[in-house]
Amino acid sequence: MDLQDQLKNLFPDHEPELDKTEEKKEHSEFWIQDSPLICKYEKRKGKPITIIEGYNGATDDFKKLTKALKQLLSVGGSHKNDTIIIQGDYRDKIMTFLKESGFTIKRVGG
């Protein structure tokens, strides 16, 4: 039994005031930037790919974001030259995932 439980037992009608430093903050696992990410579709060698450009966070966050997208979609992909390449046309799923993560997205092309 910790101190909070003991105080609740002694003063059941008291509602503690929330400290401003203890406010719940949404913590994203990725670095969120102000400028939008660009999500576009291309075909290379006859195969569809989805390209995400414009992420300017740290390299570790860039790798985490790529890995999270590949695991979400269960597809292959890579990251190089500040672009994320995902195999297949998954623009809608990628855009909803990124919006839920807190990013702003721009869809380019069809």
Side-chain angles (χ1 to χ4, degrees), residues 9-97:
N9 288 338
L10 290 173
F11 306 104
D13 295 334
H14 178 71
E15 294 182 19
E17 295 179 13
L18 292 177
D19 189 14
K20 291 183 181 179
T21 58
E22 293 180 14
E23 289 180 0
K24 292 182 182 178
K25 295 181 181 177
E26 287 189 29
H27 178 69
S28 177
E29 59 183 292
F30 313 113
W31 181 77
I32 307 297
Q33 62 188 26
D34 295 332
S35 59
L37 294 177
I38 297 172
C39 184
K40 62 184 179 179
Y41 168 79
E42 283 186 11
K43 277 193 172 184
R44 292 188 182 172
K45 297 182 183 177
K47 298 183 181 183
I49 60 169
T50 304
I51 299 173
I52 298 141
E53 296 178 332
Y55 188 70
N56 54 14
T59 307
D60 292 337
D61 289 336
F62 190 63
K63 290 178 183 179
K64 284 182 192 176
L65 181 61
T66 304
K67 185 175 180 179
L69 286 171
K70 292 191 312 185
Q71 285 180 347
L72 171 76
L73 303 169
S74 299
V75 295
S78 65
H79 59 277
K80 57 181 160 182
N81 300 334
D82 295 332
T83 60
I84 299 173
I85 300 170
I86 302 292
Q87 296 174 356
D89 183 12
Y90 295 103
R91 287 177 288 178
D92 296 329
K93 291 181 182 179
I94 289 172
M95 289 175 67
T96 55
F97 172 76

